[in-house]
Every structure is written in C-alpha cells, then in structure tokens.
Amino acid sequence: MSGWLKIVGLGPGSEAMITPEVTAALLDATDVVGYVPYVNRVAPRAGLVRHGSDNREEIRRAEQALQLALEGHRVVVVSSGDPGVFAMAAAVFEALEVGDAQWCTLDIQVLPGISAMLAASASVGAPLGHDFCCINLSDNLKPWALIEKRLRLAAEADFAMAFYNPRSKARPAGFERTLDILREACGPDRLIIFARAVSTPEESIRVTTLGEATPDMADMRTLVIVGSQQTRLIERAGAPLVYTPRSAD
C-alpha cells in the first residue's frame, strides 16, 4: 500500500464550509491526525483511525503523521480554518525539514480551507477589502515585544488588521495591552469587529469602536478585525455592514 499525507483545513465550523476536495480526502483516509476538537469533527467510520492529541503537541503530531504515511497509511492532518494560517501545515514542514530523510519521499499535499479571518470578514461585509495584515496575538511561540512591534507598524502603515488567538485564560493581559496600543495609534473611533464562533450555532458578531471595546469581548474562539482609516460602517435596519473601499486616498 502506498501512503500519502494531506494537510487539510476544516473551515471555521460549519460543515457547509468544508471544501469538496477536503471531504474527498477524508473519505479516502485511513488515519486522521490532529488536535482533539478538530479530530472529533470528523465522523467515525469503519477503516478510519482517529488520532487526537493536545493543542501544544504540534511537532509530535506532525512526526506521527509523517511516520504513519511512511508506513503506508493514507493520512489526513486536520486543522480548523486553513491549514496554512497559524496551523498544522507549517508544523508538518518544520518536522519534515529536520526529521527522517525518508519522509521527503512522501506524497504530501496541502488542501486549503476557509479561514476564520475570511469567514469573519464575510459575516459583516468586506472589512478586508483593501490592504490588510494578519497577526497571531499568542506569545507562546514568539515574544510579546515582537507582537507589540508588529502592532505599531501595522497601525502606522494603516492596514486593516485581523487578529487570531486574542485572549485566553492563561494570558488575559495581552489583549488589554493590544487595545491600549491600538487606541494610542489609531484613536478611539476606529472600527473593531469581534466575530466569535463564526458559522456555528454559537456565532456572535459585535461591531463597535476601539473606544468602546473591552478585553472581555474576546476569547480564543473570537476573530478580531480592526479597520483602517478608510473602513466604513453602513447603518441599516438589522445588522450594520462594514467594508473597506478598494482604493485609498
């Protein structure tokens, strides 16, 4: 049996947002490897082994997947959203680069998914309609000083900004500091969007300003978007729309 490895994105939560390409890979797989909540999104079936692990075991998980593929298994590594955005694709390649030389002979593919950033943007309109950047606010794999530097430079460049992993129980102070930096750099009237659990039954969308934003509006299931100077709010009956024009002054 010839093994292969596919690194896939399951989208932000809704089954409707899983691409047909990813669905086909899962149906053909003998093994699914990933963080437990993501593995649990894949329905059990005969002939499929699900390997769930803890959130901070990315490299060990990648090594396990590569070895299973080398042994002839058809392996799918799952991430939420897109696997190339703060997810398992990079972890697999980190393991591949320094691991068993035989792993480089494997058939390895990355299958894209709908990212939380894009789903959150679509839920309110098009706040990422012009130039934007994306920053992971977790300091587990990089120092806070680097995060702060990137926040200030992104604000200076007037990007719209999308933030992953804004606030957890283990590091509640980081997002409070982020809001302080952004208020200082952008002013209190800048639009900010809190999009929690987009595309799931727990979805919650809040559009406000930096002046009104508080740290407790975000958690680890929240994707935060801060607009640029150009970003506009369209008031209407029901939920407002937010977009950033395609051109800049």
Side-chain angles (χ1 to χ4, degrees):
M1 181 172 64
S2 178
W4 48 250
L5 176 62
K6 297 184 180 181
I7 312 160
V8 313
L10 298 177
S14 169
E15 295 300 308
M17 290 192 181
I18 300 177
T19 69
E21 182 182 41
V22 169
T23 297
L26 290 169
L27 288 174
D28 197 26
T30 59
D31 297 79
V32 172
V33 177
Y35 178 38
V36 171
Y38 306 151
V39 168
N40 289 343
R41 289 179 57 186
V42 179
R45 60 169 170 80
L48 179 69
V49 180
R50 301 188 300 172
H51 307 266
S53 54
D54 185 73
N55 193 32
R56 295 197 182 188
E57 297 183 8
E58 290 93 344
I59 297 301
R60 190 199 66 79
R61 183 185 306 145
E63 293 170 343
Q64 177 188 27
L66 288 160
Q67 188 59 36
L68 284 169
L70 186 64
E71 293 168 4
H73 297 249
R74 300 188 300 275
V75 184
V76 172
V77 176
V78 292
S79 296
S80 67
D82 179 274
V85 180
F86 305 130
M88 280 302 298
V92 169
F93 296 131
E94 286 176 28
L96 180 70
E97 185 176 20
V98 299
D100 189 330
Q102 294 182 86
W103 291 346
C104 287
T105 67
L106 291 168
D107 176 8
I108 302 175
Q109 299 178 54
V110 179
L111 307 185
I114 298 174
S115 69
M117 170 179 62
L118 297 182
S121 177
S123 72
V124 296
L128 305 180
H130 192 56
D131 295 343
F132 68 90
C133 68
C134 181
I135 300 174
N136 186 345
L137 293 180
S138 171
D139 60 358
N140 287 333
L141 296 176
K142 61 179 181 285
W144 171 255
L146 179 58
I147 296 173
E148 182 167 336
K149 177 181 180 179
R150 289 175 174 172
L151 287 170
R152 293 186 184 280
L153 290 174
E156 180 181 348
D158 197 29
F159 286 115
M161 294 170 263
F163 300 129
Y164 279 73
N165 301 319
R167 185 172 182 265
S168 70
K169 293 180 180 178
R171 45 178 185 80
F175 188 58
E176 182 176 5
R177 179 62 181 148
T178 296
L179 291 176
D180 288 342
I181 291 168
L182 293 175
R183 279 191 283 261
E184 176 186 333
C186 304
D189 297 329
R190 187 68 57 89
L191 290 170
I192 183 170
I193 300 149
F194 294 89
R196 186 180 189 277
V198 175
S199 84
T200 76
E202 295 80 38
E203 177 178 296
S204 173
I205 309 295
R206 181 182 299 187
V207 179
T208 186
T209 63
L210 283 173
E212 297 295 324
T214 58
D216 60 1
M217 291 180 181
D219 62 13
M220 287 294 283
R221 298 189 69 191
T222 306
L223 194 290
V224 180
I225 296 176
V226 175
S228 71
Q229 292 185 62
Q230 307 294 323
T231 303
R232 302 175 186 175
L233 177 73
I234 301 175
E235 296 281 10
R236 60 175 189 156
L241 294 171
V242 180
Y243 83 103
T244 303
R246 294 169 298 150
S247 59
D249 296 337

